[in-house]
Amino acid sequence: MALILDGRSLSEKIRQEIKKEVEVFLQKGLRRPALAVVLVGDDPASQIYVNNKRKACEKVGIKSLYYKLPQNTRHEELLELIAQLNADEEVDGILVQLPLPEQINQREIITSILPSKDVDGFHPENMGMLLSGSEEGFIPCTPLGIDILLRHYNIDPKGANVTIVGAGFIVGRPLSALMLNRNATVSVCHIYTRDISVFTREADILISATGVPGLIDKEKVKEGAIVIDVGISKVNGKIVGDVKFNEVKEKVKAITPVPGGVGPMTVTALLLNTVKAYKKRVYSISTIKP
Ligand code: GUN
C-alpha cells in the first residue's frame, strides 16, 4: 500500500503560516495583500475554481477583489480592466481565469499583466525566467504546488526519470522546466506521442496532467514509482483524476489522491505567490523592512 501524498493537510499547515504572516504585516501598520481575480463568462468549472481561490484568500486574510465579466466581453474591455489593475498600487496580484472566450486573445491578455503582478506565472517574462533556470519570478501555481509537495515528503527529483503526461501551457510546459531545474531527466508526452507507456513505465516520478479519467492504469506505471495526479474530471457526479487510483496504489511507493492532492496545493501556491508579490511591492516603497 502506497504512501498517500496528502496535499490537503500540507495546504492547511502552509495556509496557517500565511495567515500568521499576514497578521504580522497588519501589526506593522501595513495594508493587507490583495489579489484581483478576473472571470470572463460563466463556465461552471471556472466558477468553482475562482470561488475556491477567493475563499482561500479571505481565510488567510488576503483581500480578494472580484471582477466578473460577461461571456461577450470584448478584448479591449478586458485590456482596459487589466491596465487599471496594473496601475492600482493596492493590487498586488492579478489572476485572469483561463480559458477565455474565443473573441479574446489569451496570449495578449497574459502579456498585458505586469510581470510583477503576474501571480499565475504565465507572462512570457516569468515563464522565460523559469526556463532560464531562475526562480526569482513567479512560478505557475500547479508546478509550484507539486514542487512544494515533493519537498515536504523528501522526494528529490535529482537524477530521477520524471515523465510528464500533458504538455499544456498551465501545467506540463512550466513543470518540465521546473523539474529540469531540480536536475531530473524529463520526458514530456502529449497527444502525438506514439506510445506513452514507453515513457510512463520508465518513470520514477510520473506526473499526469491530461484531464482524461483513468488514462494511467497499473500497466502504465513502474513498480515503486511516485505518481502525481493533476487531473480533475467529473464522472457520474464524482471528481476523479487521470490515474486509476485503486489499482495503481497497490503497485507504487507514493501517490496523490484526487481530490485532496494537487488541487489544494495549487491554491496554496497562489496564496504564496500573492504574498511574494505583496512583499516585493510593499517593502520596495515602505521604510518598514521584513
Ligand atoms: N485555469 C485552469 N488552471 C488555471 C490556473 O492555474 N490559473 C488560471 N488563471 N486559470 C486556470
Side-chain angles (χ1 to χ4, degrees), residues 3-6 10 146-162 179 182 184 204-207 224-228 253-256:
L3 170 69
I4 305 298
L5 305 173
D6 185 349
L10 177 58
I146 292 170
D147 186 51
I148 295 169
L149 187 66
L150 292 176
R151 264 187 283 155
H152 174 77
Y153 284 98
N154 292 316
I155 299 166
D156 187 356
K158 184 166 147 192
N161 288 343
V162 173
M179 288 297 109
R182 298 287 174 268
D204 303 306
I205 303 176
L206 173 60
I207 308 172
I226 289 153
V227 177
I228 308 292
K253 186 156 79 186
I255 186 167
T256 59

Coordinates of all heavy atoms in Angstrom, one line a residue, residues 3-6 10 146-162 179 182 184 204-207 224-228 253-256:
L3 N 2.2 5.2 0.1 CA 2.1 6.4 0.9 C 1.2 7.4 0.2 O 1.4 7.6 -1.0 CB 3.5 7.0 1.1 CG 3.6 8.4 1.7 CD1 3.2 8.4 3.2 CD2 5.0 9.0 1.5
I4 N 0.2 8.0 0.9 CA -0.7 8.9 0.3 C -0.1 10.3 0.5 O 0.1 10.7 1.6 CB -2.1 8.8 0.9 CG1 -2.7 7.4 0.8 CG2 -3.0 9.8 0.2 CD1 -2.8 6.8 -0.6
L5 N 0.2 11.0 -0.6 CA 0.7 12.4 -0.5 C -0.4 13.3 -0.3 O -1.2 13.6 -1.2 CB 1.5 12.7 -1.8 CG 2.6 11.7 -2.1 CD1 3.2 12.0 -3.5 CD2 3.7 11.6 -1.1
D6 N -0.5 13.8 1.0 CA -1.7 14.5 1.4 C -1.6 16.0 1.2 O -1.1 16.7 2.1 CB -1.9 14.1 2.9 CG -3.2 14.7 3.5 OD1 -3.9 15.5 2.8 OD2 -3.6 14.3 4.6
L10 N -1.1 19.3 4.1 CA 0.0 20.2 3.9 C -0.4 21.6 3.6 O 0.1 22.6 4.1 CB 1.0 19.6 2.8 CG 2.2 20.5 2.5 CD1 3.0 20.8 3.8 CD2 3.0 19.9 1.4
I146 N 3.2 21.3 -6.7 CA 3.8 20.0 -6.8 C 5.2 19.9 -6.2 O 5.6 19.1 -5.5 CB 3.8 19.5 -8.3 CG1 2.3 19.2 -8.8 CG2 4.6 18.2 -8.4 CD1 2.2 19.0 -10.3
D147 N 6.0 21.0 -6.6 CA 7.3 21.1 -6.1 C 7.4 21.1 -4.5 O 8.2 20.4 -3.9 CB 8.0 22.3 -6.7 CG 9.4 22.5 -6.3 OD1 10.2 21.5 -6.6 OD2 9.9 23.5 -5.9
I148 N 6.4 21.9 -4.0 CA 6.4 22.0 -2.5 C 5.9 20.7 -1.9 O 6.5 20.3 -0.9 CB 5.4 23.2 -2.1 CG1 6.0 24.5 -2.6 CG2 5.2 23.2 -0.6 CD1 5.0 25.7 -2.5
L149 N 5.0 20.0 -2.5 CA 4.5 18.7 -2.0 C 5.6 17.7 -2.0 O 5.9 17.0 -1.0 CB 3.3 18.2 -2.9 CG 2.6 17.0 -2.4 CD1 1.9 17.2 -1.1 CD2 1.6 16.6 -3.5
L150 N 6.4 17.6 -3.1 CA 7.5 16.7 -3.2 C 8.6 17.0 -2.2 O 9.1 16.1 -1.5 CB 8.2 16.7 -4.6 CG 7.3 16.2 -5.8 CD1 8.1 16.5 -7.1 CD2 7.0 14.8 -5.6
R151 N 8.9 18.3 -2.0 CA 9.9 18.6 -1.0 C 9.4 18.2 0.4 O 10.2 17.8 1.2 CB 10.2 20.1 -1.1 CG 11.4 20.4 -1.9 CD 11.8 21.8 -1.8 NE 11.0 22.6 -2.7 CZ 10.7 23.9 -2.5 NH1 11.3 24.6 -1.5 NH2 9.9 24.6 -3.3
H152 N 8.2 18.5 0.7 CA 7.6 18.1 2.0 C 7.8 16.7 2.4 O 8.1 16.3 3.5 CB 6.1 18.5 2.1 CG 5.5 18.1 3.4 ND1 5.7 18.7 4.6 CD2 4.7 17.0 3.7 CE1 5.0 18.1 5.5 NE2 4.4 17.1 5.0
Y153 N 7.7 15.8 1.3 CA 7.8 14.4 1.6 C 9.2 13.9 1.3 O 9.5 12.7 1.1 CB 6.8 13.6 0.7 CG 5.4 13.7 1.3 CD1 4.5 14.6 0.9 CD2 5.0 12.8 2.4 CE1 3.2 14.7 1.4 CE2 3.8 12.9 2.9 CZ 2.8 13.8 2.4 OH 1.6 13.9 3.0
N154 N 10.2 14.8 1.2 CA 11.6 14.5 0.9 C 11.8 13.7 -0.4 O 12.6 12.8 -0.4 CB 12.2 13.7 2.1 CG 12.3 14.6 3.3 OD1 12.7 15.8 3.2 ND2 11.9 14.1 4.5
I155 N 11.0 14.0 -1.4 CA 11.2 13.3 -2.7 C 12.0 14.3 -3.5 O 11.5 15.3 -3.9 CB 9.8 13.0 -3.3 CG1 9.0 12.1 -2.4 CG2 10.0 12.4 -4.7 CD1 7.5 11.9 -2.7
D156 N 13.2 13.8 -3.8 CA 14.1 14.7 -4.6 C 14.2 14.2 -6.1 O 14.6 13.1 -6.3 CB 15.5 14.6 -4.0 CG 16.5 15.6 -4.6 OD1 16.1 16.3 -5.6 OD2 17.6 15.7 -4.1
P157 N 13.7 15.1 -7.0 CA 13.7 14.6 -8.4 C 15.1 14.5 -9.0 O 15.3 14.0 -10.1 CB 12.9 15.8 -9.1 CG 12.2 16.5 -8.0 CD 13.1 16.4 -6.8
K158 N 16.2 15.0 -8.3 CA 17.5 15.0 -8.8 C 17.9 13.6 -9.4 O 17.9 12.6 -8.6 CB 18.5 15.4 -7.7 CG 20.0 15.5 -8.2 CD 20.7 16.2 -7.1 CE 22.1 15.8 -6.9 NZ 22.6 16.4 -5.6
G159 N 18.3 13.5 -10.6 CA 18.7 12.2 -11.2 C 17.6 11.3 -11.6 O 17.8 10.2 -12.2
A160 N 16.3 11.6 -11.1 CA 15.2 10.7 -11.4 C 14.7 10.9 -12.8 O 14.8 11.9 -13.4 CB 14.1 11.0 -10.4
N161 N 14.1 9.8 -13.3 CA 13.3 9.9 -14.6 C 12.0 10.5 -14.2 O 11.2 9.8 -13.5 CB 13.1 8.5 -15.2 CG 14.4 8.0 -15.8 OD1 15.4 8.7 -16.0 ND2 14.4 6.7 -16.1
V162 N 11.7 11.7 -14.7 CA 10.4 12.3 -14.4 C 9.6 12.3 -15.8 O 10.1 12.9 -16.7 CB 10.5 13.7 -13.8 CG1 9.1 14.4 -13.8 CG2 11.1 13.7 -12.5
M179 N 11.2 20.8 -13.2 CA 11.8 19.6 -12.9 C 13.2 19.5 -13.5 O 14.1 18.9 -12.9 CB 10.9 18.4 -13.5 CG 9.6 18.2 -12.7 SD 9.9 17.7 -11.0 CE 9.4 19.2 -10.1
R182 N 15.3 21.1 -11.1 CA 15.6 20.2 -10.0 C 16.5 19.0 -10.4 O 16.7 18.1 -9.7 CB 14.3 19.6 -9.4 CG 13.3 20.7 -8.9 CD 13.8 21.3 -7.6 NE 12.9 22.4 -7.2 CZ 13.1 23.6 -7.5 NH1 14.2 24.0 -8.2 NH2 12.3 24.6 -7.2
A184 N 16.2 16.7 -12.7 CA 15.6 15.5 -13.2 C 15.9 15.3 -14.7 O 16.2 16.2 -15.4 CB 14.1 15.5 -13.0
D204 N 10.4 7.3 -12.6 CA 10.5 7.2 -11.2 C 9.4 8.1 -10.6 O 8.9 7.8 -9.5 CB 11.9 7.6 -10.7 CG 13.0 6.8 -11.4 OD1 12.9 5.6 -11.3 OD2 13.9 7.4 -12.0
I205 N 9.2 9.2 -11.2 CA 8.1 10.1 -10.8 C 7.3 10.3 -12.1 O 7.8 10.8 -13.1 CB 8.7 11.5 -10.3 CG1 9.7 11.2 -9.1 CG2 7.6 12.4 -9.9 CD1 10.3 12.5 -8.6
L206 N 6.0 10.0 -12.0 CA 5.1 10.1 -13.1 C 4.0 11.2 -12.7 O 3.4 11.0 -11.7 CB 4.4 8.7 -13.3 CG 3.3 8.7 -14.4 CD1 3.8 9.2 -15.8 CD2 2.6 7.3 -14.5
I207 N 4.0 12.2 -13.6 CA 3.0 13.3 -13.3 C 2.0 13.3 -14.5 O 2.5 13.6 -15.6 CB 3.7 14.6 -13.1 CG1 4.9 14.5 -12.1 CG2 2.8 15.7 -12.7 CD1 5.8 15.7 -12.0
G224 N 6.9 0.7 -7.6 CA 7.7 1.5 -6.7 C 7.8 3.0 -7.1 O 8.5 3.8 -6.5
A225 N 7.1 3.4 -8.2 CA 7.2 4.8 -8.7 C 6.4 5.7 -7.7 O 5.7 5.3 -6.8 CB 6.5 4.9 -10.1
I226 N 6.6 7.0 -8.0 CA 5.8 8.1 -7.3 C 4.9 8.7 -8.3 O 5.3 9.1 -9.4 CB 6.8 9.1 -6.7 CG1 7.5 8.5 -5.5 CG2 6.0 10.4 -6.3 CD1 8.8 9.0 -5.2
V227 N 3.6 8.7 -8.0 CA 2.6 9.1 -9.0 C 1.9 10.4 -8.5 O 1.3 10.4 -7.4 CB 1.6 8.0 -9.3 CG1 0.5 8.4 -10.2 CG2 2.3 6.8 -9.8
I228 N 1.9 11.4 -9.4 CA 1.3 12.7 -9.1 C 0.2 12.9 -10.1 O 0.4 13.0 -11.3 CB 2.3 13.9 -9.2 CG1 3.6 13.6 -8.3 CG2 1.6 15.2 -8.8 CD1 3.4 13.6 -6.9
K253 N 5.0 3.5 -4.8 CA 5.5 3.8 -3.5 C 4.7 4.9 -2.9 O 4.5 5.0 -1.7 CB 7.0 4.3 -3.6 CG 7.7 4.5 -2.3 CD 9.2 4.3 -2.4 CE 9.8 5.6 -3.0 NZ 11.3 5.5 -3.2
A254 N 4.3 5.9 -3.7 CA 3.5 7.1 -3.2 C 2.6 7.6 -4.3 O 3.0 7.5 -5.5 CB 4.5 8.1 -2.7
I255 N 1.5 8.2 -3.9 CA 0.5 8.6 -4.9 C -0.3 9.8 -4.3 O -0.6 9.8 -3.1 CB -0.4 7.4 -5.3 CG1 -1.3 7.8 -6.5 CG2 -1.1 6.8 -4.2 CD1 -2.0 6.7 -7.1
T256 N -0.7 10.7 -5.1 CA -1.6 11.8 -4.7 C -3.1 11.3 -4.9 O -3.4 10.8 -6.0 CB -1.4 13.1 -5.4 OG1 -1.6 12.9 -6.8 CG2 0.0 13.7 -5.2

